[in-house]
Amino acid sequence: MTDGVLWSLRSDCPIPSRLSPYADRVQRWLDGQLPGLGLPLDGPALDRLSRAAFARYAGRLYPGATEPDLRSLATLFTWFFLVDDACDGPGRLTPEQIRALRDGALALLREGPRARHPGLTGPLRRLLVRAWREPRRRMPARWRLRFADAVGHHLHGAWREALDKAAGRPPDVAGYVELRRATSAAYVSYPLIEFVGGRPLPDAVYHHPALRRLADAGNDLLSWYNDIASLERDRATSGGHNLVLALAAEHRVPVAEAVDLAAERWRATMRRFVVLRAAVPSFGPALDEAVTIHLDGVADAVRGTIDWTLESARYAVR
């Protein structure tokens, strides 16, 4: 029902496709690392992780990353997807466990690898320690706090969604869009643009309204594309937390018709994204190059999500 829509939206995306030349090599490296972490995954589960191609996803979002940095990013991406599966898969964590996981992750990110918290232990802790080592070493304290805040916002969103599901409370469209901006982890990916480029933006620039509007639009685009791709799975497990399902309920239309509504909403937001990007003002010669790198990174997150969704076995879109 959705494959044709996904390919059509890809054709309507004006952002060029990019991919790191190291992506496949880093994927092979990642495949070799995961069995030694003690993750509670058997051979078929590890194979599914490999075919999901998280290193290629990182390589699409950060095509200019060095090979060592792409290894850190691919490890971090794997951690987030494992957490996503734990929060939303079969036998998923309770809201209380998700809140404890959030607190444990924030303790590690803010205080360093010596921090201990019962909410984050075992293989997930080891994986995050490994992924965080290089960003923590290289980036200034204010950037590390910005990244930790983004992770906290993301996991807080996962907790709120879990509460809704436990209560049997599907969201309306406006509430869903707001919550999806947290659960997507796009806001986590944006500070990593600065890690790859080595040029953290001042807070006043990073949080400037023009950049925030673009960040929100980019987040919506990649989130809604993912919602269309994961619709069949979400119909069974999401408790209505999917843009298509929220539109179907609010407009009282069949799900197939709601897919078209979601696609039109996506296309309108893409047109707005192009306008917003062109309207970002100059911040002066000392900052404009770093701002351009950041804007390109937000665009890469949109296009990279599209391309990875169509190639990853996680969604099996062909």
Side-chain angles (χ1 to χ4, degrees), residues 112-241:
R114 294 183 181 275
R116 298 285 174 176
H117 190 283
L120 182 65
T121 59
L124 278 180
R125 185 183 188 281
R126 289 194 293 273
L127 191 63
L128 184 57
V129 167
R130 181 175 299 192
W132 184 234
R133 185 177 298 134
E134 194 61 17
R136 175 178 169 78
R137 183 186 73 82
R138 290 217 314 257
M139 300 301 283
R142 64 179 175 83
W143 180 91
R144 297 198 302 269
L145 289 174
R146 181 187 296 166
F147 181 79
D149 287 347
V151 173
H153 178 250
H154 167 59
L155 294 177
H156 183 74
W159 171 72
R160 287 172 54 202
E161 183 178 284
L163 288 176
D164 286 348
K165 290 179 180 178
R169 187 170 53 232
D172 59 20
V173 173
Y176 175 75
V177 168
E178 178 193 359
L179 183 57
R180 187 68 171 100
R181 289 175 178 174
T183 60
S184 77
Y187 294 147
V188 176
S189 74
Y190 296 156
L192 295 171
I193 300 166
E194 299 167 279
F195 164 63
V196 169
R199 299 180 65 177
L201 296 175
D203 286 343
V205 175
Y206 189 87
H207 296 294
H208 187 278
L211 269 68
R212 296 314 302 166
R213 286 191 290 269
L214 187 78
D216 290 346
N219 192 339
D220 291 342
L221 287 167
L222 66 87
S223 297
W224 301 345
Y225 194 89
N226 176 267
D227 281 4
I228 296 172
S230 60
L231 174 61
E232 293 309 313
R233 181 185 67 187
D234 287 350
R235 292 179 79 171
T237 65
S238 74
H241 284 78

Side-chain angles (χ1 to χ4, degrees), residues 4-15:
V5 173
L6 293 170
W7 285 101
S8 174
L9 294 180
R10 181 183 184 274
S11 298
D12 291 338
C13 179
I15 303 165

Side-chain angles (χ1 to χ4, degrees), residues 281-304:
S282 170
F283 292 91
L287 288 171
D288 279 351
E289 182 180 358
V291 170
T292 297
I293 291 170
H294 182 82
L295 301 180
D296 288 346
V298 174
D300 286 335
V302 175
R303 181 56 190 253

